[in-house]
C-alpha cells in the first residue's frame, strides 16, 4: 500500500475472452514524484532571494538620479517581478498536483466572487479601457472551494483583459447545464488561432511568444485553471475566433 508502488491495469477483448495486462509503473511514479518535489523545492528556495533582489532594486530606483541608470534598474525590477510570478505559479501548480491540499467545498455566491475578482483587476482594465461586466445572477450558487474558485476566475478575467483590445469588454456569465454549473468568461480580444486551441491549457504554452511577451505572463495561468476545474470533478472548454475574441467555459458539478 505504499504510494510509490503502482500498477496499471488494461483490459482488451480477445478471441476466447478477455486479455488482462498488468504493468508495473512503480519506477514511473517514483520519477514523477521526485520531479514534482524538485520543482517544489527549487521554487521555494527561489522565493526569498527574489524578494530581496526586488526590494534592493526598489531602493536603488528611488535614490538614482541618473535617468539612464534608473531605466536599467527599472528593467531589472520588471524581470524580477516576472520571476516572482513564475515562482508563485509553480508553487500553486505543485500544490494542486500533489493533491495534499484538501478542497474546502461549500456553497458559494458566484456573483460576489466575480465582484471581488473585478476589484483586483480593475486598475489594469481601466488602463486599457476594458469594461468588466458581471452578468451572473445575484442568487447563482456554485459548489466549490472559494479560494480556488477565486484563483480560477482571476486567471481567466486577467487573460480576458491582457489579451483584449482597447475599449474591449470581458463578460462573466453563468447558467446550469445538465448536472453542471457552467461559468463563462468571454472577451472581445485578439482571440486564439485555431491550431493553438488544443494546447492553451498546457503548462508553459504561450500562443505567440512575440505577442505574449509584450503583455507578460508565465504560461501557467490556464493550466492552473484546468487543474482547479479538474480537482472539483469538472472540466474546461475554450472557443475562440482570431481577431474577435475568446470564450472560456468552466463546468463544475452541482452539489
Ligand atoms: P500567460 O501567462 O501567457 O497568459 P496562460 O496559461 O494564462 O499564460 O495562457 C496561455 C496562452 O494562451 C497565452 O500566452 C495566450 O497566448 C493565450 N490566451 C490565454 N487567454 C487568452 C485570451 N483570453 N485571449 C487570447 N489569448 C489567450
Amino acid at each position: 500500500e505504499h504510494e510509490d508502488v503502482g500498477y496499471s491495469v488494461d483490459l482488451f477483448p480477445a478471441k476466447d475472452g478477455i486479455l488482462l495486462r498488468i504493468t508495473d509503473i512503480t519506477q514511473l511514479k517514483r520519477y514523477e514524484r521526485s520531479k514534482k518535489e524538485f520543482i517544489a523545492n527549487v521554487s521555494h528556495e527561489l522565493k526569498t532571494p527574489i524578494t530581496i533582489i526586488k526590494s534592493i532594486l526598489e531602493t536603488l530606483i528611488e535614490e538614482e538620479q541618473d535617468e539612464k541608470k534608473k531605466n536599467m534598474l527599472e528593467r531589472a525590477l520588471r524581470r524580477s517581478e516576472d520571476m516572482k510570478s513564475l515562482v508563485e505559479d509553480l508553487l500553486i501548480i505543485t500544490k494542486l498536483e500533489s493533491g495534499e491540499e484538501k478542497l474546502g467545498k461549500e456553497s458559494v455566491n458566484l456573483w460576489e466572487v466575480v465582484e471581488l475578482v473585478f476589484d483586483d483587476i480593475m486598475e489594469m482594465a481601466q488602463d486599457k479601457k476594458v469594461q468588466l461586466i458581471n452578468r451572473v445572477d445575484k442568487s447563482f450558487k456554485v459548489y466549490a472551494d472559494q479560494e480556488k474558485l477565486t484563483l480560477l476566475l482571476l486567471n481567466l478575467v486577467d487573460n480576458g483583459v491582457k489579451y483584449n483590445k482597447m475599449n474591449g469588454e470581458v463578460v462573466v456569465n453563468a447558467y446550469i447545464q445538465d448536472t453542471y454549473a457552467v461559468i463563462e468568461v468571454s472577451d472581445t480580444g485578439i482571440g486564439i488561432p485555431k491550431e493553438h486551441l488544443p494546447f492553451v491549457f498546457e503548462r508553459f504554452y504561450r500562443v505567440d511568444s512575440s505577442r505574449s511577451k509584450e503583455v507578460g505572463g508565465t504560461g501557467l495561468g490556464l493550466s492552473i485553471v484546468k487543474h482547479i476545474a479538474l480537482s472539483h470533478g469538472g472540466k474546461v472548454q475554450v472557443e475562440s475566433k482570431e481577431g474577435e475574441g475568446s470564450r472560456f467555459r468552466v463546468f463544475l458539478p452541482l452539489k
Side-chain angles (χ1 to χ4, degrees):
E1 262 300 300
H2 195 274
E3 66 168 305
D4 263 356
V5 178
Y7 298 96
S8 79
V9 178
D10 301 291
L11 291 172
F12 304 97
K15 234 192 342 201
D16 307 317
I18 285 174
L19 195 67
L20 179 73
R21 183 177 67 190
I22 301 172
T23 317
D24 184 354
I25 53 166
T26 306
Q27 288 300 338
L28 192 68
K29 283 188 95 175
R30 282 191 189 141
Y31 168 72
E32 274 297 313
R33 199 163 80 136
S34 66
K35 192 177 82 180
K36 278 170 190 166
E37 276 170 4
F38 175 74
I39 295 175
N41 290 339
V42 171
S43 314
H44 191 78
E45 292 302 321
L46 285 173
K47 246 177 107 165
T48 312
I50 293 172
T51 309
I52 295 171
I53 293 171
K54 265 190 60 186
S55 68
I56 292 175
L57 288 170
E58 276 158 3
T59 312
L60 289 176
I61 288 169
E62 249 173 61
E63 288 166 3
E64 186 55 66
Q65 301 299 322
D66 185 307
E67 272 308 309
K68 210 171 145 199
K69 282 189 191 156
K70 203 183 181 93
N71 192 280
M72 285 162 78
L73 289 168
E74 278 165 353
R75 268 164 49 206
L77 179 64
R78 280 199 294 277
R79 293 289 86 82
S80 58
E81 275 160 1
D82 290 347
M83 258 200 280
K84 186 169 167 250
S85 348
L86 175 60
V87 164
E88 279 169 356
D89 281 357
L90 277 173
L91 281 171
I92 291 171
I93 289 252
T94 42
K95 267 200 198 133
L96 285 170
E97 278 185 342
S98 71
E100 60 194 45
E101 250 188 316
K102 277 255 162 263
L103 288 183
K105 284 202 243 179
E106 54 183 336
S107 183
V108 178
N109 181 302
L110 184 63
W111 184 87
E112 283 170 15
V113 175
V114 173
E115 287 297 303
L116 290 175
V117 167
F118 281 3
D119 279 346
D120 266 5
I121 311 269
M122 195 62 80
E123 210 174 307
M124 186 179 138
Q126 276 167 354
D127 287 345
K128 264 184 107 162
K129 300 200 165 35
V130 168
Q131 257 199 83
L132 303 176
I133 301 164
N134 186 355
R135 290 234 173 92
V136 177
D137 191 287
K138 279 194 178 168
S139 63
F140 197 91
K141 296 279 190 347
V142 288
Y143 189 58
D145 178 312
Q146 173 145 3
E147 205 184 300
K148 301 280 182 317
L149 178 69
T150 307
L151 188 60
L152 178 152
L153 283 167
L154 211 48
N155 275 298
L156 288 179
V157 176
D158 183 81
N159 280 349
V161 175
K162 241 171 36 175
Y163 302 107
N164 221 314
K165 306 167 186 154
M166 272 300 213
N167 301 307
E169 53 184 49
V170 178
V171 180
V172 183
N173 199 1
Y175 51 88
I176 305 280
Q177 188 177 56
D178 305 324
T179 55
Y180 290 104
V182 186
I183 307 171
E184 265 185 13
V185 180
S186 320
D187 65 65
T188 53
I190 57 177
I192 302 167
K194 212 167 139 204
E195 64 273 22
H196 292 280
L197 279 179
F199 309 110
V200 290
F201 292 102
E202 277 174 26
R203 277 197 220 182
F204 296 117
Y205 195 84
R206 308 197 73 199
V207 168
D208 163 0
S209 43
S210 67
R211 84 170 186 173
S212 298
K213 231 180 218 126
E214 291 163 32
V215 290
T218 60
L220 286 172
L222 287 180
S223 72
I224 292 176
V225 168
K226 185 179 165 184
H227 259 295
I228 294 176
L230 291 181
S231 65
H232 279 81
K235 56 185 178 183
V236 281
Q237 280 175 5
V238 56
E239 236 169 56
S240 187
K241 218 170 191 172
E242 236 188 309
E244 288 183 20
S246 313
R247 171 169 296 147
F248 288 83
R249 285 198 185 89
V250 179
F251 294 74
L252 298 177
L254 298 171
K255 192 176 178 178

